[in-house]
């Protein structure tokens, strides 16, 4: 057997594809955060349109993995990486979906009278974004410690989410007319909280890719 | 070590030299009964040499020196056993099928006959039973008295396995038994090996990594005369502990 040069190149391309997909998603989160602050409907439409591109990236990475498995019968760390990527891209794709979901509510909010948004959003989005970018770094460098740190950070997002809900219910009691808007904000908080959960799912694969350690 | 299984071979500190050239370096490991153990590694790493030590085929070569011990069922095969006796218990199937230029029937009956079985009815029974065990009976039952050389390569290989089985060994050593065969015949030999391990212990050398992962229970990775890693096949192919094993099985060198 000779060194499988072509195969190794294909594995490198797979890494690059995952990086490209995550940077596309980071952009979407960036836009979502901006649209949410300024209740910008046209930016929201742009986010929703962009989701198709990310869906397509997910499908093509999946297909690439399937082809590699069939052609190359990967084993050991190669196999662990490919099997994990097939799961990881599904979580990444869900993160992008939630950006679109939030964009949909931003459009709705932009047509209603403006109310004070919960103050926790900025921090929630900031932490969630850091979780996503760190989990991708940890994936590329196989940094298990960083992955564990991402998992731990989810706690803060959860706390902020609960605080946001408390704040929203106070607003609703104070200004019952704003219930429509605040219902949207409740859902938006939930989506941000879920986005962090998906980043955690991705991070949990990293120890397995790095060492084969698989927790049931 | 796996204490739930019986140990068939216990190899301790085995060193083998061809003249001054050391082909096996301090090899220690155990081969378990009723399992398939696969030996993998790049060409020249000592797989065949190791396999041959298990039934003392190296005895036949001049200038071979061997240190260390190999026990079969706790008996030292080099000290406490006669080579002929050993080869009855531990027999070898080679890469190229090598049937005798005789009929299918005679190929299988030859061994038992040498062992003193003369009655036709008994020989018939052994021949049929062995051919059935080797999963080739249906293909040859109507041509038992035709030359074995007329069979396809894959059929010849299964015939050679039947010939081996007729001698009722305990261990079957296979040195790249499918490397000369097409995929269908290969699959048949692989199925056969998996079936046979219920009653036999099998040690197989293969260059086909997927074959090792498909059929073996444990895999040993050899490199330059060293046993680099030995583990359950699932573990070795999903989570090898040695960097060199990882590099070899993933095609980073070879
Ligand atoms: N009779 C011999 N005399 C001298 N050197 C030998 C002899 N047989 C084998 N060798 C050497 O011992 C080493 C191990 O050979 P061996 O045949 O065991 O390798 P192998 O792992 O089975 O390789 P392959 O995969 O090519 O069959 C090689 O370097 C080979 O050249
Ligand atoms: Mg060999």
């Amino acid at each position: 057997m000779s060194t499988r040069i072509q195969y190794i190149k294909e594995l490198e391309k797979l890494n690059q594809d995952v990086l490209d997909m995550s940077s596309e998603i980071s952009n979407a989160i960036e836009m979502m955060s901006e649209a949410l602050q300024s209740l910008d409907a046209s930016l929201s439409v742009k986010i929703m349109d962009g989701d198709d591109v990310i869906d397509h990236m997910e499908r093509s990475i999946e297909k690439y993995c399937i082809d590699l498995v069939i052609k190359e019968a990967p084993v050991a760390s190669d196999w662990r990486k490919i099997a994990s990527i097939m799961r990881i891209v599904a979580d990444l794709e869900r993160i992008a979906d939630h950006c679109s979901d939030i964009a949909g509510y931003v459009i709705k909010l932009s047509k209603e009278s403006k109310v004070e948004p919960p103050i926790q959003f900025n921090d929630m989005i900031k932490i969630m974004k850091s979780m996503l970018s760190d989990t991708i770094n940890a994936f590329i460098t196989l940094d298990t410690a960083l992955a564990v740190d991402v998992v731990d950070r989810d706690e803060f997002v959860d706390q902020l989410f609960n605080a946001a809900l408390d704040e929203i219910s106070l607003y609703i009691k104070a200004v019952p007319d704003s219930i429509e808007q605040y219902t949207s904000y409740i859902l938006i908080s939930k989506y941000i909280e879920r986005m962090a959960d998906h980043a955690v799912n991705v991070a949990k694969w990293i120890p397995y890719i790095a060492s084969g350690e698989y927790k049931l | 070590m796996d204490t739930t299984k019986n140990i068939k071979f216990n190899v301790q500190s085995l060193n083998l030299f061809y003249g001054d050239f050391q082909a096996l370096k301090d090899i220690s490991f155990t081969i378990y009964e009723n399992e398939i153990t696969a030996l993998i590694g790049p060409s020249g790493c000592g797989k065949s040499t190791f396999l041959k030590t298990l039934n003392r085929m190296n005895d036949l070569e001049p200038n071979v020196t061997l240190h260390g011990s190999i026990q079969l069922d706790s008996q030292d095969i080099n000290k406490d056993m006669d080579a002929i006796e050993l080869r009855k218990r531990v027999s070898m199937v080679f890469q190229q099928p090598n049937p005798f230029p005789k009929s299918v029937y005679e190929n299988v009956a030859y061994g038992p006959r040498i062992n003193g079985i003369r009655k036709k009815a008994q020989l018939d029974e052994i021949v049929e039973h062995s051919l059935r065990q080797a999963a080739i009976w249906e293909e040859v039952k109507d041509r038992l008295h035709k030359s074995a050389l007329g069979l396809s390569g894959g059929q010849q290989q299964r015939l050679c396995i039947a010939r081996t089985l007729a001698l009722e060994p305990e261990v079957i050593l296979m040195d790249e038994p499918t490397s000369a065969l097409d995929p269908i015949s290969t699959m048949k030999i692989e199925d056969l090996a998996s079936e046979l391990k219920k009653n036999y212990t099998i040690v197989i050398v293969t260059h086909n990594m997927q074959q090792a992962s498909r059929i073996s229970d444990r895999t040993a990775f050899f490199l330059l005369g060293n046993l680099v890693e030995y583990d359950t096949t699932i573990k070795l192919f999903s989570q090898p502990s040695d960097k060199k094993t990882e590099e070899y099985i993933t095609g980073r060198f070879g």
Side-chain angles (χ1 to χ4, degrees):
Chain A
M1 194 178 68
S2 65
T3 305
R4 299 157 79 182
I5 298 166
Q6 198 52 39
Y7 167 58
I8 291 162
K9 274 195 199 142
E10 286 173 336
L11 284 171
E12 281 162 8
K13 170 166 159 27
L14 191 54
N15 260 356
Q16 189 55 50
D17 287 354
V18 173
L19 270 178
D20 291 349
M21 181 175 172
S22 4
S23 82
E24 201 64 37
I25 293 169
S26 296
N27 286 339
I29 295 174
E30 205 62 54
M31 289 194 286
M32 177 275 281
S33 159
E34 213 182 302
L36 182 59
Q37 261 180 27
S38 51
L39 298 187
D40 184 335
S42 65
L43 187 54
S44 297
V45 172
K46 216 175 131 191
I47 295 168
M48 293 165 88
D49 289 346
D51 193 43
D52 290 347
V53 176
I54 295 170
D55 282 352
H56 182 262
M57 285 173 131
E58 184 212 4
R59 301 292 295 165
S60 83
I61 291 173
E62 246 173 32
K63 172 81 168 63
Y64 199 75
C65 288
I66 293 170
D67 291 351
L68 270 177
V69 170
I70 291 169
K71 274 189 348 199
E72 304 284 354
V75 293
S77 62
D78 293 346
W79 161 248
R80 300 199 303 263
K81 169 170 264 173
I82 293 170
S84 304
I85 285 177
M86 293 182 73
R87 304 297 305 271
I88 286 172
V89 291
D91 278 290
L92 293 179
E93 191 270 329
R94 297 298 293 154
I95 292 178
D97 276 353
H98 291 334
C99 277
S100 284
D101 294 333
I102 292 172
Y105 284 102
V106 168
I107 293 173
K108 187 166 179 291
L109 282 164
S110 73
K111 293 175 186 153
E112 294 159 348
S113 66
K114 198 167 175 339
V115 302
E116 196 62 33
I119 54 162
Q120 292 81 4
F121 276 4
N122 270 342
D123 287 341
M124 283 178 82
I125 293 176
K126 209 159 85 193
I127 300 174
M128 177 271 287
K129 260 166 54 183
S130 80
M131 288 168 71
L132 178 66
S133 64
D134 285 347
T135 206
I136 296 301
N137 277 335
F139 164 78
I140 295 296
T141 57
L142 297 183
D143 184 340
T144 302
L146 184 57
V148 170
D149 191 66
V150 168
V151 175
D152 291 344
R153 242 176 281 166
D154 191 42
E155 179 79 30
F156 299 116
V157 179
D158 289 348
Q159 281 169 8
L160 289 167
F161 169 65
N162 287 323
L165 288 190
D166 289 346
E167 198 182 304
I168 290 170
S169 66
L170 289 178
Y171 282 134
I172 295 176
K173 278 178 197 142
V175 194
D177 281 354
S178 59
I179 186 134
E180 282 283 323
Q181 292 91 315
Y182 281 115
T183 309
S184 298
Y185 278 132
I186 290 174
L187 291 167
I188 290 171
S189 333
K190 185 65 193 167
Y191 285 128
I192 300 172
E193 187 268 333
R194 289 299 295 153
M195 288 162 88
D197 287 347
H198 287 296
V200 165
N201 289 349
V202 173
K204 282 182 172 168
W205 282 104
I206 288 156
Y208 174 70
I209 303 176
S211 67
E213 178 194 337
Y214 188 89
K215 290 207 188 90
L216 284 180
Chain B
M1 213 167 82
D2 191 337
T3 49
T4 62
K5 300 260 176 170
N6 284 335
I7 293 174
K8 195 67 187 171
F9 277 109
N10 188 357
V11 179
Q12 287 304 322
S13 310
L14 183 70
N15 288 280
L16 183 144
F17 296 80
Y18 291 112
D20 313 332
F21 175 74
Q22 184 163 13
L24 294 176
K25 297 172 187 163
D26 207 34
I27 308 287
S28 298
F29 77 119
T30 43
I31 290 170
Y32 295 92
E33 192 166 57
N34 301 122
E35 281 198 356
I36 300 180
T37 303
L39 311 181
I40 62 168
S43 194
C45 67
K47 303 177 298 291
S48 297
T49 300
F50 176 75
L51 200 67
K52 283 188 272 180
T53 62
L54 297 179
N55 75 346
R56 289 176 55 183
M57 298 255 291
N58 295 303
D59 283 14
L60 309 174
E61 297 187 33
N63 78 9
V64 170
T65 10
L66 188 140
H67 305 288
S69 82
I70 303 176
Q71 293 182 338
L72 171 63
D73 293 335
S74 312
Q75 255 194 317
D76 190 313
I77 65 168
N78 292 297
K79 296 202 179 99
D80 309 335
M81 232 182 267
D82 167 60
I84 307 291
E85 179 59 28
L86 173 66
R87 286 184 206 127
K88 268 190 205 158
R89 294 173 62 185
V90 182
S91 61
M92 175 91 82
V93 173
F94 296 92
Q95 176 175 13
Q96 287 295 338
N98 54 352
F100 307 132
K102 291 173 186 266
S103 71
V104 171
Y105 183 97
E106 281 308 318
N107 263 277
V108 183
Y110 182 83
R113 210 177 253 136
I114 290 201
N115 285 344
I117 295 172
R118 292 271 178 272
K119 287 207 190 86
K120 169 128 186 354
Q122 201 182 348
L123 281 173
D124 285 355
E125 198 185 307
I126 292 173
V127 168
E128 176 170 344
H129 181 70
S130 307
L131 289 169
R132 277 189 192 282
Q133 265 194 304
I136 191 183
W137 172 251
E138 292 302 326
E139 288 157 72
V140 298
K141 63 175 196 258
D142 300 322
R143 56 194 285 187
L144 287 178
H145 299 286
K146 295 207 172 112
S147 170
L149 302 181
L151 299 175
S152 74
Q155 290 171 330
Q156 288 185 8
Q157 191 61 301
R158 278 176 290 142
L159 175 65
C160 292
I161 293 172
R163 187 176 68 190
T164 298
L165 297 176
L167 294 166
E168 300 184 316
E170 297 160 31
V171 181
I172 305 175
L173 310 176
M174 300 183 171
D175 198 348
E176 301 182 46
T178 63
S179 63
L181 304 183
D182 68 283
I184 305 261
S185 309
T186 296
M187 216 170 60
K188 285 186 181 162
I189 303 281
E190 288 181 7
D191 277 344
L192 174 58
S194 303
E195 188 61 31
L196 290 175
K197 80 169 182 186
K198 291 175 195 153
N199 301 312
Y200 304 85
T201 300
I202 296 174
V203 186
I204 180 169
V205 170
T206 177
H207 278 288
N208 181 335
M209 227 79 74
Q210 289 187 55
Q211 177 165 78
S213 71
R214 274 195 299 266
I215 65 171
S216 71
D217 300 286
R218 281 169 221 267
T219 299
F221 169 57
F222 284 75
L223 185 63
L224 298 169
N226 294 294
L227 173 62
V228 173
E229 185 162 352
Y230 176 53
D231 214 322
T232 61
T233 298
I234 294 282
K235 172 77 167 49
L236 192 127
F237 281 98
S238 62
Q239 198 185 355
S241 32
D242 195 287
K243 188 107 199 337
K244 295 197 203 84
T245 314
E246 168 96 28
E247 285 172 356
Y248 181 70
I249 63 175
T250 60
R252 262 62 169 182
F253 79 82

